[in-house]
Amino acid sequence: MRGTRTLSFICVLAAAAPLGAETRAIKVQGANAVSLLPGQVHWTAQDRAAVDRAKVIDFSMDKGNAGWSFDFLSLRSPRLGEDACCAAARHFHGAQAGMEAWHALGGGDAIRLRADMGKASRRALSAVAFAARSRAAYADAHVTWDHGERLAISTGWYRQGGWGRRRMHLDVTRLGNGEAAAASGLRAAVQLAVGVSARSARSWMMLEVREGSRAACLGTCSGGTMRHASEAGLTFNSSF
């Protein structure tokens, strides 16, 4: 059923596409699917352990010096009942839709505007606690300057659902399902492709700064549940 819906979606995009548009569909299974988790969201170790398959549908229009695209991302764990070790313990399903517009500035530089909206659903099955399911939505909008082939600088706004600012028993359920804390604010990042151009890079170095608020305790606690948060981090990502 899921495959039928995806095929129908691709056919609709292809039929409606103007001349010069391109539609692609990519499927990824196994550990490589984790690399497609959206970077603007905090994901827990449980999320990363659960994700086993990903599907990307991309519809783009390139006019040479400008263009735009729409993409849909689906992430999920093995279906309940499959023989993966973690399928019987928890289930993860995420979906995200995004739109992007870009324009060349000359000299190898380009400016990109992008907005994303997504939702993650988690379900835990445990013999100790009752089965619980939770959902959390997230969104972000940012502008990126691509400088040459290797450097990208971006800044924008983000909002992430999760535990915090809710009643105690709901927050405990979300925390138990592996959700990260609720957060919102501004984000800036500098990303550098290591060794080769951004189009073919398999390794990235990124310096990221976040300024905003983040859930600090479960339920309603003294002093409020959202606290000011400033974060800075340097990460290195590589696929093998």
Side-chain angles (χ1 to χ4, degrees):
M1 187 64 180
R2 294 190 187 95
T4 302
R5 288 198 298 265
T6 302
L7 180 61
S8 300
F9 182 67
I10 296 174
C11 290
V12 169
L13 285 180
L19 185 64
E22 181 182 359
T23 304
R24 299 176 301 168
I26 303 171
K27 289 185 178 180
V28 181
Q29 292 189 345
N32 288 334
V34 180
S35 65
L36 295 181
L37 283 168
Q40 71 271 27
V41 179
H42 283 292
W43 302 101
T44 64
Q46 286 191 33
D47 289 336
R48 296 183 181 277
V51 173
D52 178 71
R53 62 190 66 187
K55 183 184 298 181
V56 180
I57 303 174
D58 179 78
F59 172 78
S60 60
M61 168 64 77
D62 189 341
K63 298 181 179 179
N65 65 342
W68 60 271
S69 66
F70 169 82
D71 55 81
F72 176 79
L73 169 66
S74 176
L75 297 153
R76 63 174 60 248
S77 62
R79 296 184 182 92
L80 297 178
E82 292 185 359
D83 56 0
C85 66
C86 303
R90 55 183 173 272
H91 183 65
F92 177 92
H93 177 225
Q96 174 181 294
M99 293 194 69
E100 180 175 301
W102 65 272
H103 196 286
L105 301 177
D109 291 3
I111 192 78
R112 291 187 286 118
L113 300 173
R114 182 173 179 87
D116 297 289
M117 294 183 65
K119 179 185 290 185
S121 172
R122 302 166 178 86
R123 178 169 55 185
L125 301 175
S126 172
V128 178
F130 61 89
R133 183 175 183 177
S134 59
R135 296 183 178 91
Y138 60 89
D140 82 290
H142 60 269
V143 57
T144 302
W145 172 42
D146 291 327
H147 180 55
E149 289 290 320
R150 298 179 57 194
L151 180 66
I153 301 173
S154 64
T155 182
W157 165 89
Y158 73 96
R159 184 182 185 280
Q160 175 179 323
W163 59 262
R165 307 188 72 175
R166 295 177 175 85
R167 286 175 292 181
M168 176 67 76
H169 71 283
L170 295 178
D171 279 348
V172 170
T173 296
R174 290 176 177 271
L175 182 63
N177 281 354
E179 290 191 27
S184 61
L186 301 177
R187 172 181 178 270
V190 178
Q191 192 165 333
L192 178 67
V194 178
V196 292
S197 68
R199 292 182 179 272
S200 57
R202 298 177 63 87
S203 299
W204 293 88
M205 187 78 72
M206 183 174 69
L207 175 63
E208 181 186 47
V209 177
R210 294 176 185 251
E211 183 77 18
S213 59
R214 186 182 177 98
C217 59
L218 297 175
T220 56
C221 58
S222 60
T225 59
M226 297 294 287
R227 306 280 178 84
H228 180 267
S230 298
E231 299 178 345
L234 179 65
T235 60
F236 177 79
N237 295 321
S238 183
S239 57
F240 300 95

